[in-house]
Amino acid sequence: MANNALVTGGSRGIGKSISIKLAAMGYHVIINYNSNVEAAQDTLSQIVAAGGSAELLAGNVADSTDFIKRLEEWQQANPGEYISCLVNNAGIRRDNLMIMMPDQDWESVIDTNLNSTFYITKFVLKSMLLKRNGRIINVASLSGLKGLPGQVNYSAAKAALIGITKALAQEVGKRKITVNAVAPGFIETDMTKDLDHDELTKNIPAGRFGKPEEVAALVGFLASPDAAYITGQVISINGGLYT
């Protein structure tokens, strides 16, 4: 039986670095992506070239009914296997002031960043509970801790992820399943390329944006046996911007 890890939104940015890190740790990584096939193939190729094991799983996590069906198909195609590590990383931003925010921008962010976590975790959790083993890591955000103007939808979704993390950790701790969240600040990814780096860096004590690999290193630790006694925690990785 392999150690299988599912990384949602695992083909680009932080998700890509997490996929590569988990593969280097010996996990067979199921790399979820939505539409960017080229990026997904590139991530897969990098893992295989480094001697790791991975596969691709297409699907929009915001469409929970369809995505759970895809997970059921994976399970049927891999009898005896189960996902022992889940990284809920998929996320989108649709920034706007609340008074000007289209309803669709609220709904799409909540569906992608929050609702997907509920449905996917609920599915994966069944096998973890039976096996009495599991790692669940939710990628939250600085925005979910302090709130950021123009991100009412994103802040709400990420704050809710933190609530899920703390509550679920208490539900499943006796079954040797840990549930933690990481809360990145400003990280160099496609999601932050439109931000004013020079202006924002002035407020970061570390004097720079973080790197996806640094977030992946933290996720890797939480996914490792060394983190067996750490659960229900929200660990910030933001260069000292918010403590």
Side-chain angles (χ1 to χ4, degrees), residues 208-229:
R208 64 176 177 85
F209 275 32
K211 299 175 181 178
E213 293 81 7
E214 292 172 315
V215 180
L218 175 56
V219 171
F221 170 68
L222 292 173
S224 75
D226 291 337
Y229 199 55

Side-chain angles (χ1 to χ4, degrees), residues 20 22-29 43-54:
I20 291 171
L22 293 179
M25 292 170 58
Y27 279 99
H28 171 76
V29 182
T43 301
L44 177 62
S45 296
Q46 286 188 45
I47 289 173
V48 173
S53 174

Side-chain angles (χ1 to χ4, degrees), residues 121 125 134-138 161 164-173 177-181 222 230-234:
T121 303
L125 198 56
R135 294 283 188 272
I136 298 170
I137 302 157
N138 298 320
L161 275 186
I164 288 173
T165 299
K166 293 182 176 184
L168 183 59
Q170 295 174 68
E171 293 181 8
V172 301
I177 300 167
T178 65
V179 189
N180 292 290
L222 292 173
I230 299 174
T231 193
Q233 302 305 304
V234 183

Side-chain angles (χ1 to χ4, degrees), residues 6 57 67-75 120 123:
L6 169 62
L57 179 67
F67 196 78
I68 295 304
K69 186 181 299 182
R70 291 169 188 257
L71 287 179
E72 289 172 344
E73 290 170 353
W74 180 89
Q75 191 68 73
I120 295 169
F123 177 86

Side-chain angles (χ1 to χ4, degrees), residues 103-122:
D103 292 352
Q104 180 57 39
D105 285 358
W106 168 267
E107 292 163 6
S108 62
V109 167
I110 295 299
D111 283 342
T112 303
N113 298 32
L114 175 60
N115 290 342
S116 67
T117 295
F118 171 78
Y119 291 108
I120 295 169
T121 303
K122 186 178 179 182

Side-chain angles (χ1 to χ4, degrees), residues 20-217:
I20 291 171
K21 175 64 176 178
L22 293 179
M25 292 170 58
Y27 279 99
H28 171 76
V29 182
I30 304 163
I31 306 165
N32 161 246
Y33 70 99
N34 183 16
S35 57
N36 195 328
V37 180
E38 186 176 344
Q41 289 286 359
D42 180 65
T43 301
L44 177 62
S45 296
Q46 286 188 45
I47 289 173
V48 173
S53 174
E55 64 182 285
L56 300 181
L57 179 67
N60 182 2
V61 298
D63 184 347
S64 58
T65 301
D66 178 71
F67 196 78
I68 295 304
K69 186 181 299 182
R70 291 169 188 257
L71 287 179
E72 289 172 344
E73 290 170 353
W74 180 89
Q75 191 68 73
Q76 291 166 4
N78 296 274
E81 298 287 342
Y82 81 106
I83 294 167
S84 61
C85 177
L86 170 63
V87 183
N88 289 303
N89 168 74
I92 60 170
R93 277 176 46 215
R94 296 289 184 269
D95 295 356
N96 211 330
L97 297 177
M98 184 177 186
I99 194 66
M100 300 168 61
M101 184 176 290
D103 292 352
Q104 180 57 39
D105 285 358
W106 168 267
E107 292 163 6
S108 62
V109 167
I110 295 299
D111 283 342
T112 303
N113 298 32
L114 175 60
N115 290 342
S116 67
T117 295
F118 171 78
Y119 291 108
I120 295 169
T121 303
K122 186 178 179 182
F123 177 86
V124 170
L125 198 56
K126 296 173 186 176
S127 294
M128 288 184 178
L129 288 168
L130 287 172
K131 300 292 184 179
R132 291 181 172 267
N133 176 59
R135 294 283 188 272
I136 298 170
I137 302 157
N138 298 320
V139 179
S141 171
L142 168 70
S143 185
L145 288 169
K146 73 179 292 288
L148 292 176
Q151 291 193 341
V152 166
N153 49 2
Y154 192 75
S155 292
K158 294 301 188 178
L161 275 186
I162 290 169
I164 288 173
T165 299
K166 293 182 176 184
L168 183 59
Q170 295 174 68
E171 293 181 8
V172 301
K174 290 183 178 179
R175 293 279 179 146
K176 298 182 180 179
I177 300 167
T178 65
V179 189
N180 292 290
V182 299
F186 294 109
I187 309 296
E188 294 176 355
T189 67
D190 288 345
M191 192 176 278
T192 60
K193 66 182 180 182
D194 59 330
L195 301 178
D196 187 337
H197 283 223
D198 292 339
E199 189 62 32
L200 290 168
T201 298
K202 294 176 183 177
N203 298 317
I204 303 174
R208 64 176 177 85
F209 275 32
K211 299 175 181 178
E213 293 81 7
E214 292 172 315
V215 180

